[in-house]
């Protein structure tokens, strides 16, 4: 029997970026709201996509809602 791969946990900041994206905020707006650079928002977004093993942020949002990572 094959073991399930370990689920990668999102950091608090990655979760914040994901939630704001789900609310319709763009990269620039998220950067302003969280007082971080747009490059940092982009990095967090890429990390979310990678950790959830999806293709893009839209897919990440849908997956996160389905898995109850965000509401």
């Amino acid at each position: 029997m094959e073991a399930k791969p370990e689920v990668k946990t999102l950091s608090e900041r990655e979760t914040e970026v994901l939630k704001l994206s789900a609310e319709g905020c763009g990269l620039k707006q998220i950067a302003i709201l969280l007082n971080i650079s747009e490059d940092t928002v982009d990095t967090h977004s890429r990390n979310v996509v990678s950790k959830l093993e999806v293709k893009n942020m839209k897919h990440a949002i849908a997956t996160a809602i389905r898995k109850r990572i965000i509401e």
Side-chain angles (χ1 to χ4, degrees):
M1 193 176 348
E2 190 174 315
K4 283 187 174 181
E6 184 179 325
V7 175
K8 296 175 185 162
T9 306
L10 299 180
S11 71
E12 185 176 331
R13 190 60 103 183
E14 290 165 348
T15 303
E16 288 176 315
V17 169
L18 181 61
K19 284 180 182 178
L20 289 169
S21 292
E23 291 173 8
C25 295
L27 186 123
K28 189 175 215 168
Q29 189 176 8
I30 294 169
I32 292 167
L33 290 169
L34 298 180
N35 197 31
I36 57 178
S37 74
E38 291 180 42
D39 286 340
T40 301
V41 175
D42 185 56
T43 298
H44 289 312
S45 298
R46 282 186 277 114
N47 289 343
V48 167
V49 168
S50 175
K51 286 181 177 182
L52 294 180
E53 299 178 345
V54 295
K55 295 181 187 242
N56 55 46
M57 273 305 271
K58 288 181 182 181
H59 192 187
I61 292 165
T63 299
I65 291 169
R66 191 175 62 253
K67 292 184 175 187
R68 299 181 185 199
I69 296 169
I70 62 172
E71 295 180 12

